Amino acid sequence: DIDADKPFEDTIAILNNIDLLISIDSVVTHLAGVMNVKTWLLLGAGSDWRWGKTNTQFWYNNVELIRLNDEQPFVNILPLVRNKLIDELRNRAKP
């Protein structure tokens, strides 16, 4: 109950100070979406209906969907995220 008086105040402060959120479908993802924080949303093949069935995003422009296309174990998404993160860091390092 540490944030009973001001729910999510600490979460908002953290989101205001990060460059990228990598998360599963959670309230923090939606909060980052409305705060325009760059977010990678990790989805399995059977994700919630609101994310659709493709990687087309229509809720938040700053949230990129990264999903498994078939019934693979969710752990299989980690190599995709790793490679994407390496590319992201390389692009930031370029002058």
Side-chain angles (χ1 to χ4, degrees):
D1 294 332
I2 60 173
D3 63 352
D5 294 336
K6 297 180 182 181
F8 293 103
E9 185 175 270
D10 53 345
T11 308
I12 291 168
I14 292 167
L15 289 173
N16 277 326
N17 288 287
I18 62 172
D19 295 322
L20 172 66
L21 173 68
I22 302 173
S23 181
I24 60 168
D25 186 10
S26 68
V27 68
V28 176
T29 301
H30 292 278
L31 189 56
V34 299
M35 291 177 61
N36 205 33
V37 174
K38 183 174 182 171
T39 302
W40 294 350
L41 174 57
L42 310 182
L43 297 170
S47 62
D48 192 69
W49 65 269
R50 73 185 67 135
W51 300 114
K53 295 192 182 279
T54 68
N55 286 339
T56 302
Q57 177 50 279
F58 44 84
W59 294 112
Y60 312 108
N61 292 332
N62 55 301
V63 177
E64 182 177 342
L65 306 181
I66 302 172
R67 77 168 73 229
L68 294 171
N69 293 324
D70 53 25
E71 296 298 325
Q72 299 176 11
F74 196 70
V75 71
N76 289 357
I77 205 166
L78 296 179
L80 300 173
V81 174
R82 178 186 178 275
N83 293 338
K84 188 169 180 56
L85 186 56
I86 288 170
D87 289 344
E88 178 84 10
L89 294 173
R90 281 187 184 137
N91 288 335
R92 288 185 184 201
K94 291 180 183 177

